[in-house]
Amino acid sequence: MTRTERQNRRKRIAVIACVIVVVLLAADLLAGNYLVSFAITRATASGIAAAPAPVTSGEADAAISGHWGELSERLNDWLEDAVSEKVEITSDDGLLLVGDLFRTDEASHRYLIAVHGYTGKRSDMDVYAMLYAQRGYHVLTPDLRAHGESEGSYIGMGWLDRKDILKWIDVILARDPDAEIVLHGVSMGGATVMMTSGEELPENVVAIIDDCGYTSVWDEFSDEIRYLFHLPDFPFLYTASALAKLRAGYTFGEASALEQVKKSKTPMLFIHGSEDNFVHTEMVYRLYDACSAQKDIYIAEGAGHGQALFIDPEMYEARVFGFLDS
């Protein structure tokens, strides 16, 4: 092979290598952009599509079904007489956010902000609202940004929502400066209230209840891209996270409930199902250990994701209100 032939061969190899690199980078960008759209874009995100098949036992499923029926009847009776009004705020970035405020005992200064989960809506929290309202709490159930009637193109996964919860707290305090406020969230709502816990909260916020929230968006999405797409974190999750910063205003790594609870000064109860394979149960132990405030933990035996209330309503109420009254 002549010198010229060798040089031409090197050039061909270099061109092929460059093409391969460009193709790989393009594939990474396309995959990352797709992951952002799939996970946090309002029009395409689906909690049902993301959730793995539950691993709860037949006995647990039967108990959950029976208790859900009982709670539904109780809820319907409560809703018939419940007094509520629609309330609205504007987020710091200009979104119209909507909620329902249930009024109970006018002499009461106790309030709950009940926060729904991923791709849910405010009415999902009505059953939790009922439990508190029947104990004299006024209850605010907001639609999180990019959910329900609230505006927004991108789901905040709790991180953007923590700032919105601060504004909902201000709504209550404007009505009742003596309010004693509890934050109670389920799934992404649990992550939201935990992320809120690390902010500077008024003393009026007296307790936080996390029900099956995740440690961080990164941890949750890392698990999900392996389960749904069989992809590794690198490079795809890194690229998706960077694109999420450009499109939605936050990275998956910064959206960390784990880091926020380390700064919390508010008493916190952590609740999780022992059989949760969506937000894996091990996460709650890490969150509990990291929390710097007064705390307690309740593991609902046999429950899957978001099922702690329904597998044993009596125990759930006892643990929640025992914590709040302690």
Side-chain angles (χ1 to χ4, degrees):
M1 182 180 294
T2 67
R3 180 178 179 182
T4 300
E5 289 174 332
R6 287 196 298 271
Q7 289 176 336
N8 289 337
R9 183 182 180 186
R10 292 192 192 100
K11 288 179 181 179
R12 288 195 298 271
I13 292 173
V15 169
I16 292 171
C18 288
V19 169
I20 291 173
V21 169
V22 169
V23 169
L24 290 175
L25 286 174
D28 179 36
L29 286 171
L30 286 171
N33 198 53
Y34 173 79
L35 289 172
V36 171
S37 295
F38 177 84
I40 64 171
T41 300
R42 180 180 192 135
T44 56
S46 171
I48 295 175
V55 293
T56 49
S57 68
E59 182 180 0
D61 292 341
I64 290 164
S65 178
H67 290 139
W68 171 244
E70 295 167 2
L71 285 167
S72 294
E73 289 184 14
R74 185 175 159 191
L75 176 60
N76 289 334
D77 290 342
W78 175 70
L79 286 173
E80 285 184 5
D81 298 321
V83 177
S84 68
E85 61 176 298
K86 183 181 286 188
V87 288
E88 299 177 348
I89 61 170
T90 301
S91 69
D92 290 338
D93 52 348
L95 300 176
L96 179 67
L97 307 178
V98 178
D100 288 326
L101 179 61
F102 294 92
R103 305 289 300 185
T104 58
D105 179 2
E106 290 304 320
S108 174
H109 295 288
R110 295 188 295 179
Y111 290 78
L112 167 72
I113 300 178
V115 188
H116 67 76
Y118 179 66
T119 69
K121 55 188 180 300
R122 64 187 189 269
S123 62
D124 295 344
M125 297 302 291
D126 283 354
V127 66
Y128 298 87
M130 173 192 68
L131 302 181
Y132 282 83
Q134 291 180 336
R135 289 169 170 81
Y137 283 78
H138 310 292
V139 182
L140 174 62
T141 56
D143 277 333
L144 297 178
R145 58 174 56 217
H147 292 80
E149 293 186 67
S150 291
E151 293 179 345
S153 299
Y154 295 102
I155 295 172
M157 297 304 296
W159 189 245
L160 302 181
D161 309 286
R162 80 196 195 284
K163 297 291 189 180
D164 301 333
I165 296 300
L166 295 179
K167 295 186 79 71
W168 285 118
I169 291 170
D170 288 341
V171 167
I172 292 174
L173 294 180
R175 291 171 176 249
D176 184 355
D178 297 322
E180 297 178 353
I181 303 170
V182 175
L183 310 180
H184 187 143
V186 178
S187 191
M188 189 182 81
T192 298
V193 298
M194 288 190 288
M195 290 177 186
T196 306
S197 78
E199 302 301 311
E200 286 295 326
L201 298 177
E203 293 183 357
N204 304 75
V205 179
V206 296
I208 295 174
I209 313 295
D210 155 51
D211 186 336
C212 64
Y214 39 79
T215 49
S216 70
V217 176
W218 182 278
D219 290 345
E220 186 61 20
F221 283 179
S222 173
D223 182 66
E224 287 305 299
I225 68 165
R226 293 173 187 275
Y227 165 71
L228 292 170
F229 305 111
H230 310 291
L231 294 175
D233 289 356
F234 184 83
F236 302 105
L237 195 59
Y238 288 84
T239 302
S241 181
L243 290 172
K245 182 69 172 181
L246 294 174
R247 293 176 61 181
Y250 66 98
T251 67
F252 300 155
E254 71 181 310
S256 173
L258 192 67
E259 293 303 313
Q260 289 292 90
V261 299
K262 291 178 182 179
K263 300 183 288 183
S264 177
K265 301 174 184 177
T266 307
M268 195 174 309
L269 173 63
F270 297 88
I271 300 172
H272 222 96
S274 68
E275 305 305 313
D276 192 337
N277 65 330
F278 187 23
V279 176
H280 292 285
T281 308
E282 63 87 15
M283 287 190 181
V284 75
Y285 295 108
R286 292 165 58 196
L287 290 160
Y288 176 80
D289 288 343
C291 181
S292 59
Q294 176 190 339
K295 57 190 175 182
D296 198 2
I297 188 169
Y298 165 47
I299 304 299
E301 290 300 325
H305 187 65
Q307 296 178 333
L309 169 60
F310 307 105
I311 200 166
D312 191 343
E314 186 175 338
M315 178 60 72
Y316 192 96
E317 292 184 59
R319 294 301 299 263
V320 168
F321 295 104
F323 180 78
L324 296 178
D325 294 337
S326 62

